[in-house]
Amino acid sequence: MASAPFELKGKSVYVAGHRGMVGSALVRRLEREDVRLVTVTRGEVDLCNQAAVFDWFAKVRPQVIFLAAAKVGGIVANDTLRAEFIYDNIAIAANVIQAAHQNGAEKLMFLGSSCIYPKLAPQPLREDSVLTGPLEPTNEPYAIAKIAGIKMVEAYRSQYGCDFISVMPTNLYGPGDNYHPEMSHVVAALIRRFHEAKVSGAKNVVVWGTGTPRREFLYVDDMADACVHLMKTYSSPELVNIGTGEDIAIAEFARVVADIVGYSGEISFDTSRPDGTPRKLLDVSRLAKLGWRATTSLRDGLKRAYAAYQVEAPGAAQR
Ligand SMILES: NC(=O)c1ccc[n+]([C@@H]2O[C@H](COP(=O)([O-])OP(=O)(O)OC[C@H]3O[C@@H](n4cnc5c(N)ncnc54)[C@H](OP(=O)(O)O)[C@@H]3O)[C@@H](O)[C@H]2O)c1
């Protein structure tokens, strides 16, 4: 097994999921490295299709892999598309990790999620709390698939000596986010709702849930920078959380988003909508010891995310 520090220079680097929010941030970040970037679209290779993945890997043999492809969504998507979330995410992890091993990849980074931690695990969430209690029911299928990916990484390290690592990002936001009215994550959903209310002159915006859950948010370009840092410097079986180490109540967060979007009406809360887990803050002390911390403030990140929304969301500029 190669050990840290790991040289990226001159290597072929495959970003799986390069059209997604994290994948596209990784592509932006890797443009600053001297690497040969490799990407392939879902139309060319469906990562759920084992034969297609194995054939493509045997042909291309990427040396380094960032596994940022997954079926991803907010609380409604997770809770309603439960079969798709577990099947797709297990299939993507199983196919890519096995193909990377079979084709002698030098290093692979698997992207998990903070959802893998038990619903009531002590906060802030430490990496060693995984599998110590029941999961949040609304996203259990997604979390189980991500835990399967983490366990594959551990098993391939211990049995085959593969230099594979796993990182657990907190809630991410930024350019390339999904703004679907029902299926998006909270940041994109709020940006959209406040923007539409501002443009239409609506006097009230409804935020899902009670507003009391606390969440942590990391700007996606910071996330990509952390991934590249860990790819170069980290080689151990233990997970590494990636976050800011700071959380905020959804109600207060909504007011910050409204302010940045320029919406000045009322904000109310639809308590019939699920809150999800009461608090989700990552313990980022391991990441800090590894020499990385987030640099984009919440307000700066949200300003950039709102600017991206106005360009990316269909019709946003006209609304
Ligand atoms: N967003 C967050 O807040 C967050 C938080 C924690 C962890 N993560 C993790 O970060 C990673 C990336 O998330 P993201 O937010 O960037 O998601 P995203 O924007 O939805 O991007 C996912 C990417 O995966 C690709 N993909 C999905 N299924 C595929 C398949 N069957 N074959 C080929 N490609 C497929 C998508 O391709 P198409 O472009 O063709 O759809 C897309 O490019 C995931 O592992 C996720 O679990 C995200």
Side-chain angles (χ1 to χ4, degrees), residues 220-240:
V220 72
D221 286 290
D222 280 9
M223 162 68 186
D225 190 60
C227 289
V228 171
H229 176 78
L230 293 173
M231 188 64 104
K232 288 178 179 175
T233 58
Y234 186 72
S235 178
S236 289
E238 294 82 24
L239 316 177
V240 183

mmCIF file of all heavy atoms in Angstrom, residues 220-240:
data_model
loop_
_atom_site.group_PDB
_atom_site.id
_atom_site.type_symbol
_atom_site.label_atom_id
_atom_site.label_comp_id
_atom_site.label_asym_id
_atom_site.label_seq_id
_atom_site.Cartn_x
_atom_site.Cartn_y
_atom_site.Cartn_z
ATOM 1 N N VAL A 220 -19.091 24.132 -1.156
ATOM 2 C CA VAL A 220 -18.604 22.954 -1.880
ATOM 3 C C VAL A 220 -17.160 23.103 -2.385
ATOM 4 O O VAL A 220 -16.434 22.111 -2.490
ATOM 5 C CB VAL A 220 -19.586 22.570 -3.017
ATOM 6 C CG1 VAL A 220 -19.534 23.563 -4.166
ATOM 7 C CG2 VAL A 220 -19.338 21.153 -3.487
ATOM 8 N N ASP A 221 -16.708 24.322 -2.661
ATOM 9 C CA ASP A 221 -15.311 24.457 -3.094
ATOM 10 C C ASP A 221 -14.345 24.217 -1.934
ATOM 11 O O ASP A 221 -13.231 23.744 -2.145
ATOM 12 C CB ASP A 221 -15.077 25.816 -3.761
ATOM 13 C CG ASP A 221 -15.692 25.844 -5.154
ATOM 14 O OD1 ASP A 221 -15.177 25.153 -6.041
ATOM 15 O OD2 ASP A 221 -16.724 26.516 -5.329
ATOM 16 N N ASP A 222 -14.780 24.519 -0.712
ATOM 17 C CA ASP A 222 -13.973 24.144 0.462
ATOM 18 C C ASP A 222 -13.913 22.615 0.566
ATOM 19 O O ASP A 222 -12.874 22.031 0.871
ATOM 20 C CB ASP A 222 -14.587 24.702 1.749
ATOM 21 C CG ASP A 222 -14.256 26.186 1.968
ATOM 22 O OD1 ASP A 222 -13.709 26.815 1.047
ATOM 23 O OD2 ASP A 222 -14.556 26.700 3.064
ATOM 24 N N MET A 223 -15.049 21.987 0.328
ATOM 25 C CA MET A 223 -15.114 20.519 0.373
ATOM 26 C C MET A 223 -14.113 19.909 -0.628
ATOM 27 O O MET A 223 -13.355 18.987 -0.301
ATOM 28 C CB MET A 223 -16.548 20.082 0.036
ATOM 29 C CG MET A 223 -16.732 18.647 -0.369
ATOM 30 S SD MET A 223 -16.434 17.516 1.001
ATOM 31 C CE MET A 223 -16.556 15.965 0.089
ATOM 32 N N ALA A 224 -14.102 20.435 -1.855
ATOM 33 C CA ALA A 224 -13.199 19.899 -2.881
ATOM 34 C C ALA A 224 -11.748 20.101 -2.456
ATOM 35 O O ALA A 224 -10.897 19.211 -2.641
ATOM 36 C CB ALA A 224 -13.467 20.587 -4.215
ATOM 37 N N ASP A 225 -11.461 21.239 -1.860
ATOM 38 C CA ASP A 225 -10.091 21.513 -1.410
ATOM 39 C C ASP A 225 -9.684 20.526 -0.313
ATOM 40 O O ASP A 225 -8.560 20.007 -0.310
ATOM 41 C CB ASP A 225 -10.012 22.959 -0.907
ATOM 42 C CG ASP A 225 -8.589 23.383 -0.661
ATOM 43 O OD1 ASP A 225 -7.794 23.360 -1.616
ATOM 44 O OD2 ASP A 225 -8.251 23.697 0.504
ATOM 45 N N ALA A 226 -10.620 20.251 0.603
ATOM 46 C CA ALA A 226 -10.329 19.278 1.674
ATOM 47 C C ALA A 226 -10.070 17.887 1.077
ATOM 48 O O ALA A 226 -9.160 17.176 1.517
ATOM 49 C CB ALA A 226 -11.507 19.227 2.659
ATOM 50 N N CYS A 227 -10.851 17.511 0.083
ATOM 51 C CA CYS A 227 -10.675 16.186 -0.541
ATOM 52 C C CYS A 227 -9.291 16.064 -1.175
ATOM 53 O O CYS A 227 -8.615 15.041 -1.024
ATOM 54 C CB CYS A 227 -11.744 15.942 -1.617
ATOM 55 S SG CYS A 227 -13.383 15.683 -0.960
ATOM 56 N N VAL A 228 -8.873 17.099 -1.887
ATOM 57 C CA VAL A 228 -7.557 17.044 -2.545
ATOM 58 C C VAL A 228 -6.457 17.001 -1.476
ATOM 59 O O VAL A 228 -5.497 16.231 -1.577
ATOM 60 C CB VAL A 228 -7.381 18.234 -3.525
ATOM 61 C CG1 VAL A 228 -5.949 18.319 -4.043
ATOM 62 C CG2 VAL A 228 -8.372 18.091 -4.688
ATOM 63 N N HIS A 229 -6.640 17.789 -0.433
ATOM 64 C CA HIS A 229 -5.663 17.790 0.672
ATOM 65 C C HIS A 229 -5.535 16.387 1.272
ATOM 66 O O HIS A 229 -4.424 15.881 1.461
ATOM 67 C CB HIS A 229 -6.114 18.797 1.739
ATOM 68 C CG HIS A 229 -5.252 18.809 2.955
ATOM 69 N ND1 HIS A 229 -4.030 19.440 2.990
ATOM 70 C CD2 HIS A 229 -5.428 18.242 4.182
ATOM 71 C CE1 HIS A 229 -3.487 19.265 4.197
ATOM 72 N NE2 HIS A 229 -4.314 18.542 4.936
ATOM 73 N N LEU A 230 -6.683 15.755 1.551
ATOM 74 C CA LEU A 230 -6.642 14.424 2.178
ATOM 75 C C LEU A 230 -6.133 13.373 1.209
ATOM 76 O O LEU A 230 -5.437 12.428 1.615
ATOM 77 C CB LEU A 230 -8.027 14.052 2.718
ATOM 78 C CG LEU A 230 -8.502 14.909 3.898
ATOM 79 C CD1 LEU A 230 -9.945 14.587 4.249
ATOM 80 C CD2 LEU A 230 -7.602 14.704 5.136
ATOM 81 N N MET A 231 -6.465 13.511 -0.055
ATOM 82 C CA MET A 231 -5.949 12.552 -1.046
ATOM 83 C C MET A 231 -4.421 12.549 -1.020
ATOM 84 O O MET A 231 -3.774 11.517 -1.107
ATOM 85 C CB MET A 231 -6.475 12.934 -2.433
ATOM 86 C CG MET A 231 -6.177 11.939 -3.525
ATOM 87 S SD MET A 231 -6.965 10.335 -3.259
ATOM 88 C CE MET A 231 -8.326 10.372 -4.411
ATOM 89 N N LYS A 232 -3.845 13.727 -0.863
ATOM 90 C CA LYS A 232 -2.382 13.843 -0.889
ATOM 91 C C LYS A 232 -1.740 13.447 0.437
ATOM 92 O O LYS A 232 -0.576 13.055 0.457
ATOM 93 C CB LYS A 232 -1.990 15.302 -1.166
ATOM 94 C CG LYS A 232 -2.240 15.773 -2.573
ATOM 95 C CD LYS A 232 -1.824 17.244 -2.608
ATOM 96 C CE LYS A 232 -1.974 17.874 -3.953
ATOM 97 N NZ LYS A 232 -1.685 19.313 -3.904
ATOM 98 N N THR A 233 -2.475 13.620 1.544
ATOM 99 C CA THR A 233 -1.791 13.536 2.837
ATOM 100 C C THR A 233 -2.304 12.436 3.761
ATOM 101 O O THR A 233 -1.683 12.178 4.796
ATOM 102 C CB THR A 233 -1.933 14.872 3.610
ATOM 103 O OG1 THR A 233 -3.329 15.143 3.773
ATOM 104 C CG2 THR A 233 -1.271 16.019 2.879
ATOM 105 N N TYR A 234 -3.428 11.805 3.427
ATOM 106 C CA TYR A 234 -4.043 10.892 4.391
ATOM 107 C C TYR A 234 -4.095 9.476 3.847
ATOM 108 O O TYR A 234 -4.510 9.255 2.709
ATOM 109 C CB TYR A 234 -5.466 11.372 4.721
ATOM 110 C CG TYR A 234 -6.114 10.569 5.823
ATOM 111 C CD1 TYR A 234 -5.697 10.707 7.141
ATOM 112 C CD2 TYR A 234 -7.120 9.649 5.535
ATOM 113 C CE1 TYR A 234 -6.281 9.963 8.158
ATOM 114 C CE2 TYR A 234 -7.711 8.906 6.546
ATOM 115 C CZ TYR A 234 -7.282 9.067 7.853
ATOM 116 O OH TYR A 234 -7.856 8.322 8.848
ATOM 117 N N SER A 235 -3.690 8.522 4.670
ATOM 118 C CA SER A 235 -3.788 7.118 4.269
ATOM 119 C C SER A 235 -3.978 6.258 5.511
ATOM 120 O O SER A 235 -3.004 5.765 6.080
ATOM 121 C CB SER A 235 -2.527 6.690 3.511
ATOM 122 O OG SER A 235 -2.619 5.324 3.169
ATOM 123 N N SER A 236 -5.224 6.083 5.946
ATOM 124 C CA SER A 236 -5.537 5.249 7.113
ATOM 125 C C SER A 236 -6.954 4.726 6.960
ATOM 126 O O SER A 236 -7.758 5.311 6.235
ATOM 127 C CB SER A 236 -5.471 6.069 8.401
ATOM 128 O OG SER A 236 -4.160 6.403 8.716
ATOM 129 N N PRO A 237 -7.272 3.645 7.684
ATOM 130 C CA PRO A 237 -8.629 3.104 7.551
ATOM 131 C C PRO A 237 -9.702 3.971 8.214
ATOM 132 O O PRO A 237 -10.873 3.863 7.845
ATOM 133 C CB PRO A 237 -8.546 1.741 8.255
ATOM 134 C CG PRO A 237 -7.298 1.752 9.051
ATOM 135 C CD PRO A 237 -6.391 2.793 8.481
ATOM 136 N N GLU A 238 -9.335 4.800 9.187
ATOM 137 C CA GLU A 238 -10.368 5.577 9.896
ATOM 138 C C GLU A 238 -10.992 6.624 8.971
ATOM 139 O O GLU A 238 -10.314 7.210 8.135
ATOM 140 C CB GLU A 238 -9.780 6.309 11.113
ATOM 141 C CG GLU A 238 -9.299 5.407 12.216
ATOM 142 C CD GLU A 238 -7.902 4.865 11.945
ATOM 143 O OE1 GLU A 238 -7.149 5.507 11.185
ATOM 144 O OE2 GLU A 238 -7.571 3.793 12.493
ATOM 145 N N LEU A 239 -12.283 6.863 9.193
ATOM 146 C CA LEU A 239 -12.993 7.903 8.447
ATOM 147 C C LEU A 239 -12.440 9.270 8.826
ATOM 148 O O LEU A 239 -11.898 9.431 9.916
ATOM 149 C CB LEU A 239 -14.482 7.904 8.816
ATOM 150 C CG LEU A 239 -15.199 6.570 8.918
ATOM 151 C CD1 LEU A 239 -16.647 6.782 9.354
ATOM 152 C CD2 LEU A 239 -15.126 5.864 7.590
ATOM 153 N N VAL A 240 -12.659 10.251 7.942
ATOM 154 C CA VAL A 240 -12.342 11.641 8.297
ATOM 155 C C VAL A 240 -13.570 12.505 7.999
ATOM 156 O O VAL A 240 -14.041 12.555 6.854
ATOM 157 C CB VAL A 240 -11.147 12.196 7.490
ATOM 158 C CG1 VAL A 240 -10.824 13.626 7.955
ATOM 159 C CG2 VAL A 240 -9.928 11.315 7.636
#
